[in-house]
Amino acid sequence: MRIAIRAGRFFDGTAAAPRDNVTLVVDGDRIAAIAAGDAPADVERTYEAACVVPGLINCHVHLEVNGAPNTQTFFLVRTPTERTLDVALNARLSLEAGVTTVRDLGGAEPSAIVLRDAIARGEHPGPTIVPAGRALCMTGGHGAFISRETDGPWDARKGVREQHKIGAGCIKLIATGGVLTKGAVPGQDQLSEEEMRAAVLEAKTHGMRVAAHAIGTNGIKNALRAGVNSIEHGHLLDDEAIALFKERGAYLVPTLAAVHCIFENISSGAQPDYVVRKATELFHLCGENVRKAFRAGVRIAGGSDAGTPYNPHENYAYEVELMSTVLGMTPQQALTAATATAAELLGVESGVLAEGRPADLLLLNYDLTGNVRAVRDPRVVIKAGRVAHERV
Ligand SMILES: [Zn+2]
């Protein structure tokens, strides 16, 4: 199938200046040409849009959860079968909202791995999935209710080998406590630097990249020294951590929506007290700290921690908005964090619109310049050259 898309304004996902009045030709699942002027005559259909951008990449999701106010209880009462259906539903909702690639950073079951393959075979609608399988945490650590408990460097290697065996595409480590686990303290170290270094070395031998959940200052630095590719959350980072990010070339995935969605829904009364207390503390610190990292030149990749309380998968546009309003990114910079930079972190080919690249792209009703909300509810979502969703 060969289609043309005439774009009033075109962003390729990178920091390059947007171009006006260009036509993209999509042939099969790839972009065949991007050029000024009209659509060629040999296409089956021509679309027109005020603005065209790459499909969004969400570097931090949990497809098994859907924004329920109490995550830990959700995993107790929801059966694995129900959660398998949730994974499929959340994948479809992500795609319809313009998210064409997600990195699933941990679930109780390998459903996201199985769904990745079903989507790749064309049997189910959804984004490209880069799944971590089960996260590795210390015994009794943050997320232990869904993770693979791991103690000691050799066990960390075994944990990585197990995820590789079941088909994981990346590895998730828990370096500090977190918000959604009862009793876990976000500032506290969990997996040790030694354990994480062993996991990173093992992951490398399988060609897998490593993400570390790290909120506490010291745990962030432990994970960076251990060689992880990205720090997830990173809310209590300091100047020394910023220097380490830059020295190691690591990415920061700030997941601002996770904290904001909890804080903005305290009045529901449905969230556990410990969640509200910890998120409120982080809400007052994370904006300033992450902004400092961004200004210092740390590479920021978009990820929303979708699935956490009141933070559904179809709301990734909110994270893009927060990167702009809270971190002071221009709308284009926020788009780049959620496309080209996210793709670099994940090691996927999408995220940049150029000849020969995958045709994962969004047709927007409004120009993104000066209006970061333009990425919300795209009019047409195209994934691998096919219309995945069209709003009428
Ligand atoms: Zn998460």
Side-chain angles (χ1 to χ4, degrees):
M1 175 131 172
R2 204 168 147 86
I3 59 171
I5 301 146
R6 296 181 60 194
R9 180 154 282 188
F10 167 67
F11 291 87
D12 70 1
T14 72
R19 294 163 64 185
D20 289 344
N21 301 318
V22 298
T23 298
L24 290 83
V25 178
V26 172
D27 199 348
D29 61 355
R30 303 261 157 183
I31 294 166
I34 302 173
D38 283 340
D42 63 339
V43 294
E44 286 172 51
R45 188 170 167 186
T46 300
Y47 291 85
E48 312 216 340
C51 189
V52 171
V53 300
L56 303 179
I57 299 177
N58 192 341
C59 295
H60 192 137
V61 309
H62 300 277
L63 287 168
E64 265 183 338
V65 261
N66 54 17
N70 186 334
T71 309
Q72 203 166 341
T73 305
F74 179 84
F75 275 94
L76 285 173
V77 299
R78 198 89 159 163
T79 66
T81 314
E82 287 172 316
R83 278 186 268 114
T84 301
L85 294 177
D86 291 334
V87 168
L89 172 65
N90 288 328
R92 179 169 63 75
L93 292 174
S94 299
L95 180 63
E96 290 176 358
V99 180
T100 50
T101 301
V102 300
R103 183 173 60 166
D104 185 277
L105 285 184
E109 312 295 330
S111 321
I113 295 172
V114 174
L115 183 62
R116 169 198 62 194
D117 298 340
I119 289 170
R121 288 193 300 265
E123 294 168 5
H124 196 279
T128 301
I129 300 175
V130 182
R134 302 182 90 179
L136 308 190
C137 74
M138 70 171 200
T139 293
H142 170 61
F145 55 97
I146 56 167
S147 303
R148 196 280 197 193
E149 292 181 312
T150 305
D151 301 285
W154 284 107
D155 196 35
R157 283 191 181 259
K158 186 166 166 62
V160 171
R161 289 169 186 168
E162 286 170 2
Q163 305 320 305
H164 178 253
K165 180 182 176 184
I166 61 170
C170 64
I171 292 294
K172 166 84 172 293
L173 304 175
I174 305 293
T176 73
V179 171
L180 300 178
T181 305
K182 193 174 183 181
V185 179
Q188 196 175 62
D189 293 359
Q190 295 212 337
L191 284 179
S192 70
E193 185 181 330
E194 195 185 10
E195 287 165 327
M196 290 191 279
R197 182 172 290 117
V200 167
L201 288 172
E202 185 66 33
K204 269 190 189 154
T205 67
H206 305 292
M208 293 194 289
R209 299 185 184 193
V210 180
H213 159 105
I215 299 176
T217 317
N218 197 57
I220 292 168
K221 292 184 247 189
N222 285 344
L224 288 169
R225 281 190 293 259
V228 304
N229 301 93
S230 66
I231 295 291
E232 308 298 310
H233 321 300
H235 297 156
L236 301 179
L237 60 83
D238 64 4
D239 289 340
E240 196 188 353
I242 287 174
L244 270 172
F245 267 107
K246 297 179 75 173
E247 185 190 311
R248 302 294 172 121
Y251 295 76
L252 172 60
V253 181
T255 68
L256 300 167
V259 175
H260 278 250
C261 290
I262 292 170
F263 187 77
E264 288 157 12
N265 289 283
I266 293 173
S267 62
S268 73
Q271 303 181 92
D273 289 349
Y274 62 85
V275 167
V276 169
R277 176 178 49 76
K278 290 188 271 185
T280 300
E281 213 175 301
L282 295 173
F283 177 83
H284 293 295
L285 298 167
C286 69
E288 195 180 326
N289 287 340
V290 177
R291 190 162 53 238
K292 203 159 101 179
F294 168 61
R295 285 194 184 141
V298 173
R299 287 183 289 186
I300 310 285
S304 68
D305 213 353
T308 55
Y310 301 100
N311 185 16
H313 292 262
E314 60 273 30
N315 201 26
Y316 184 45
Y318 189 44
E319 181 72 24
V320 181
E321 288 162 29
L322 289 173
M323 287 194 287
S324 180
T325 56
V326 175
L327 305 185
M329 289 183 177
T330 63
Q332 184 179 0
Q333 285 173 326
L335 175 75
T336 297
T339 55
T341 310
E344 265 172 42
L345 167 59
L346 269 51
V348 295
E349 271 189 291
S350 53
V352 175
L353 296 177
E355 287 173 17
R357 292 266 201 158
D360 288 2
L361 53 96
L362 311 179
L363 277 56
L364 310 180
N365 280 326
Y366 307 99
D367 177 12
L368 179 78
T369 316
N371 180 10
V372 72
R373 289 179 63 87
V375 294
R376 190 170 281 278
D377 300 328
R379 185 163 60 80
V380 181
V381 178
I382 292 177
K383 186 189 167 224
R386 300 177 132 209
V387 174
H389 191 62
E390 199 165 356
R391 278 182 180 72
V392 283

